[in-house]
Amino acid sequence: MLAVPDMGLQGLYIGSSPERSPVPSPPGSPRTQESCGIAPLTPSQSPKPEARAPQHAPFSVVVAIDFGTTSSGYAFSFASDPEAIHMMRKWEGGDPGVAHQKTPTCLLLTPEGAFHSFGYTARDYYHDLDPEEARDWLYFEKFKMKIHSATDLTLKTQLEAVNGKKMPALEVFAHALRFFKEHALQELREQCPSLPEKDTVRWVLTVPAIWKQPAKQFMREAAYLAGLVSREDAEQLLIALEPEAASVYCRKLRLHQLFDLSSRAPGSGRLGERRSIDSSFRQAREQLRRSRHSRTFLVESGIGELWAEMQAGDRYVVADCGGGTVDLTVHQLEQPHGTLKELYKASGGPYGAVGVDLAFEQLLGRIFGEDFITTFKRQRPAAWVDLTIAFEARKRTAGPHRAGALNISLPFSFIDFYRKQRGHNVETALRRSSVNFVKWSSQGMLRMSCEAMNELFQPTVSGIIQHIEALLARPEVQGVKLLFLVGGFAESAVLQHAVQAALGARGLRVVVPHDVGLTILKGAVLFGQAPGVVRVRRSPLTYGVGVLNRFVAGRHPPEKLLVRDGRRWCTDVFERFVAAEQSVALGEEVRRSYCPARPGQRRVLINLYCCAAEDARFITDPGVRKCGALSLELEPSDGASPGRREIRAAMQFGDTEIKVTAVDVSTNRSVRAAIDFLSH
């Protein structure tokens, strides 16, 4: 095959296969319309992927930042005692009755765009601003998922503050990450004054597993801008997938640290003695082999029915229910080292806790008018934030069996603004509204029935359950009987009850860690200490390049025929590097050799394509799209090696990010290589 980038320029082939040629695509083909004047490269024979154990530099401490949609935090552990996880200091401020081991993902910038504060401090300061003054300040909240939802994410993508003003998203994220960096390093210096800062910290950033490569690269670029690491020390930063991090942590939990949702009685739910999941799996299997009455023996020994029912005892689902998304992953625990193997590609969708907030906003629109809510958010942004805080506090207390109604405070600014805009008060609006399950209380609050509050949860909760059920129907997941429910939204009694009611009847045991809201953060620290713990992943998409093949009549479409120098070629053939849902081991490499088209060439590009289908034939097929570009920066040739220059590239698809390295075969020197998913 011949790899032909979009420029349609001629390259040189290395090898002797008669099926390949340096002939370019004809003008006007899809690849020639975006010419950038860079000569393409051509591949050698495609060797089988090779697995190579990844090398990781030693670090004294790992700091993980769980950058969430609604709340964020950091934790760390030292290499000398990697499983002793230190949580960040308690945050100042906060809401009564809410644990402050994380801080709200809220960023406040001055009217000039300079950093002012983050978290509770940002929220409280913005709350105290004069309404007119607040309109000039830039306040960002729940902005993480804007990166996921952006269809054309680039380094120039803009984010909108609550006052409507826009700012580059990269700067917004960098401000937040820089805050966590400074906060964490200050705490490390206080705990360990002798710890040198440079090159001793490995940073870990968490992202949803369903995020595509551009969003992951965006977070890395924001970390570079924030000064967490430099581009030259890229390995000092790891991207951790949130459900993977949760899985890494859950496999270390002792059974008394888990709550079994099938045991609803107060005080129940402790699953056994202090045994880790790893050891429980091993002991369960051994006892199953040795005991004729295995189930009774397992329960009496303190391991519990949970492990006995798993039979093989090594597969489970993790449902990460966060503020913005639900992320699902399926893992198999491998022996003897306790590594993890992904059984099905990560899946999920935008079914996070913010969906309940959106339902509440829609409810307010039905009562007071959507146009009024839009105007109020724009002209009284700080007061709108106050209202969302009041709703958040009541949302956390909602439960399926709660008896009393819920009161939600309306800011005075809301009441006053509504009277000036509409000419009557909010009580009149409630009486005239068709919404009969929300009343006006004598204390001057919205009084919402528990049934009404639970209804706000239903669209989001139903989406989560449907995604889990669809995953369980997959052939690769058959027989799994254990589900870990994790993430901040998993703290909700409404969600817990709905998941257990829907899935418990089908034999799935639903288990929640006691520190469910910190599961991902703690798991990210463990992942940073041992990045090889997830040994095999599933590729979410098919990746490859466009190439030329010898044209075969009857097999190739006539419109793909290209005749050059008397030879017949098929254009736009999709040469696959890795297929969607293919198992790829950590460190496994896909290698290609390329030759620059002309002497002295300093930079070469080749476009990458991706699709969800496994059997795409051409880069022009429906669903196939250009997703990035492989870039190789070449040093000047010293002329000592006459003839064509071979560059060998090795790509890895089994890590949390797609990685590439390259070497100049003639000199055995490394070549600067990168894959850019953000340039269009």
Side-chain angles (χ1 to χ4, degrees):
M1 297 182 185
L2 170 66
V4 182
D6 290 2
M7 295 75 70
L9 303 175
Q10 184 168 342
L12 297 176
Y13 161 70
I14 302 175
S16 58
S17 170
E19 298 295 318
R20 305 181 184 184
S21 167
V23 179
S25 294
S29 73
R31 298 188 310 279
T32 62
Q33 295 171 1
E34 299 179 0
S35 173
C36 60
I38 303 297
L41 305 179
T42 59
S44 66
Q45 294 281 3
S46 303
K48 293 182 179 180
E50 297 184 12
R52 187 172 63 185
Q55 301 296 318
H56 298 285
F59 297 95
S60 301
V61 62
V62 167
V63 179
I65 300 174
D66 181 12
F67 195 97
T69 300
T70 56
S71 61
S72 301
Y74 70 87
F76 58 91
S77 74
F78 295 95
S80 56
D81 191 4
E83 295 190 10
I85 300 174
H86 303 261
M87 299 303 301
M88 60 282 178
R89 287 190 297 245
K90 301 287 185 180
W91 301 100
E92 296 180 359
D95 306 316
V98 179
H100 302 152
Q101 291 187 296
K102 287 187 177 181
T103 194
T105 307
C106 306
L107 173 69
L108 181 63
L109 306 180
T110 67
E112 296 75 30
F115 176 84
H116 180 273
S117 51
F118 186 88
Y120 285 116
T121 305
R123 196 190 71 179
D124 295 344
Y125 189 92
Y126 189 63
H127 165 274
D128 294 336
L129 286 173
D130 178 82
E132 292 300 321
E133 186 181 4
R135 294 170 64 175
D136 295 327
W137 287 67
L138 287 81
Y139 182 79
F140 299 88
E141 63 175 358
K142 301 175 183 176
F143 52 86
K144 173 184 174 183
M145 288 314 298
K146 300 293 177 62
I147 301 305
H148 173 67
S149 58
T151 56
D152 55 348
L153 180 64
T154 71
L155 295 177
K156 297 181 180 180
T157 294
Q158 301 272 308
L159 281 182
E160 186 174 300
V162 296
N163 63 357
K165 295 182 180 180
K166 293 185 177 181
M167 187 172 183
L170 193 68
E171 295 184 25
V172 173
F173 277 79
H175 279 306
L177 293 178
R178 191 178 298 113
F179 165 82
F180 280 112
K181 174 198 172 185
E182 295 172 355
H183 207 284
L185 291 180
Q186 177 63 30
E187 186 168 354
L188 285 173
R189 283 191 290 266
E190 293 174 1
Q191 289 204 21
C192 189
S194 62
L195 184 71
E197 177 180 328
K198 184 174 177 58
D199 301 329
T200 61
V201 178
R202 161 168 276 162
W203 296 91
V204 182
L205 287 181
T206 65
V207 302
I210 60 172
W211 272 20
K212 295 180 174 58
Q213 294 298 325
K216 295 177 184 179
Q217 182 184 339
F218 182 92
M219 289 298 290
R220 179 170 284 277
E221 294 291 339
Y224 292 152
L225 183 60
L228 264 69
V229 301
S230 65
R231 295 182 187 277
E232 291 72 23
D233 299 313
E235 290 298 317
Q236 198 173 342
L237 170 67
L238 296 179
I239 299 295
L241 308 184
E242 290 167 1
E244 279 191 2
S247 181
V248 170
Y249 179 66
C250 286
R251 76 190 244 286
K252 290 289 186 182
L253 286 178
R254 301 182 185 278
L255 299 182
H256 77 289
Q257 298 171 301
L258 302 170
F259 181 75
D260 182 2
L261 293 187
S262 64
S263 304
R264 301 303 303 179
S268 66
R270 291 196 173 188
L271 303 181
E273 296 177 349
R274 294 190 176 188
R275 301 177 185 268
S276 71
I277 288 175
D278 292 357
S279 63
S280 297
F281 280 150
R282 290 194 292 269
Q283 294 182 35
R285 280 196 289 268
E286 181 65 21
Q287 291 160 354
L288 279 168
R289 287 194 298 268
R290 294 183 178 182
S291 175
R292 294 177 61 186
H293 306 286
S294 58
R295 182 177 300 278
T296 302
F297 182 81
L298 286 169
V299 174
E300 290 177 351
S301 68
I303 294 178
E305 282 190 335
L306 175 64
W307 313 120
E309 289 179 3
M310 292 194 67
Q311 297 177 9
D314 60 357
R315 297 196 299 167
Y316 54 91
V317 176
V318 175
D320 169 26
C321 305
T325 59
V326 58
D327 252 357
L328 307 177
T329 193
V330 189
H331 278 162
Q332 178 180 15
L333 186 68
E334 299 180 312
Q335 299 300 337
H337 302 297
T339 53
L340 299 174
K341 177 181 180 180
E342 191 175 43
L343 297 180
Y344 183 69
K345 66 179 181 180
S347 60
Y351 296 101
V354 294
V356 185
D357 303 338
L358 179 59
F360 177 65
E361 182 178 337
Q362 293 170 342
L363 175 64
L364 293 178
R366 290 170 57 191
I367 298 173
F368 302 106
E370 293 181 4
D371 58 334
F372 169 77
I373 296 300
T374 300
T375 302
F376 179 73
K377 289 172 62 178
R378 184 177 65 251
Q379 297 193 20
R380 296 291 185 270
W384 174 253
V385 171
D386 290 347
L387 179 54
T388 61
I389 293 171
F391 174 72
E392 176 68 24
R394 293 297 173 262
K395 182 177 73 174
R396 289 176 177 269
T397 66
H401 306 299
R402 182 187 172 99
L406 296 162
N407 290 330
I408 301 173
S409 299
L410 282 181
F412 172 77
S413 178
F414 184 99
I415 298 171
D416 182 62
F417 193 75
Y418 184 81
R419 184 173 60 250
K420 291 178 179 178
Q421 290 284 316
R422 293 292 202 244
H424 56 265
N425 58 30
V426 295
E427 185 177 0
T428 301
L430 283 163
R431 285 200 306 267
R432 295 177 179 178
S433 169
S434 60
V435 179
N436 55 17
F437 46 77
V438 179
K439 307 296 182 182
W440 184 248
S441 73
S442 58
Q443 293 84 13
M445 298 182 179
L446 291 179
R447 188 170 180 82
M448 180 181 294
S449 68
C450 291
E451 294 78 12
M453 175 63 82
N454 291 339
E455 279 298 313
L456 297 180
F457 280 78
Q458 289 316 302
T460 300
V461 169
S462 296
I464 292 173
I465 293 173
Q466 289 171 10
H467 270 77
I468 296 175
E469 290 178 332
L471 175 65
L472 295 174
R474 299 287 307 184
E476 302 90 336
V477 191
Q478 294 303 302
V480 172
K481 294 185 178 180
L482 176 63
L483 180 142
F484 287 101
L485 198 62
V486 303
F489 194 26
E491 296 176 342
S492 167
V494 175
L495 176 61
Q496 291 181 8
H497 180 268
V499 171
Q500 173 60 31
L503 303 176
R506 57 190 295 169
L508 188 70
R509 186 65 61 87
V510 182
V511 178
V512 180
H514 284 181
D515 52 354
V516 58
L518 301 175
T519 302
I520 294 165
L521 178 55
K522 293 181 177 180
V525 176
L526 296 176
F527 176 79
Q529 295 286 5
V533 63
V534 182
R535 192 186 64 84
V536 178
R537 293 182 174 87
R538 296 278 184 139
S539 176
L541 296 171
T542 298
Y543 291 95
V545 294
V547 302
L548 296 177
N549 269 5
R550 183 179 294 278
F551 187 86
V552 178
R555 190 175 75 178
H556 293 142
E559 63 270 20
K560 297 294 184 183
L561 174 63
L562 170 69
V563 179
R564 177 66 64 88
D565 297 331
R567 296 186 178 183
R568 293 159 58 87
W569 303 99
C570 180
T571 64
D572 300 329
V573 175
F574 186 34
E575 184 194 27
R576 189 175 66 190
F577 290 161
V578 64
E581 301 184 29
Q582 177 181 332
S583 290
V584 188
L586 185 66
E588 185 175 316
E589 294 181 342
V590 176
R591 296 181 182 178
R592 296 292 188 273
S593 291
Y594 301 103
C595 181
R598 60 184 182 273
Q601 187 169 333
R602 297 293 301 276
R603 184 177 184 227
V604 289
L605 293 174
I606 187 165
N607 289 323
L608 297 180
Y609 297 84
C610 69
C611 64
E614 302 176 37
D615 56 353
R617 297 179 60 199
F618 302 99
I619 62 174
T620 54
D621 284 354
V624 180
R625 59 183 176 84
K626 177 186 171 185
C627 62
L630 169 63
S631 172
L632 302 175
E633 304 288 342
L634 307 181
E635 294 294 331
S637 176
D638 56 11
S641 302
R644 290 174 295 194
R645 187 179 183 185
E646 179 181 354
I647 308 299
R648 183 173 298 156
M651 288 163 282
Q652 297 184 26
F653 295 89
D655 213 326
T656 57
E657 302 171 272
I658 297 177
K659 298 180 178 180
V660 61
T661 58
V663 64
D664 188 327
V665 175
S666 62
T667 63
N668 203 33
R669 293 178 181 173
S670 295
V671 173
R672 186 186 295 255
I675 300 179
D676 186 3
F677 292 100
L678 288 173
S679 297
H680 295 284

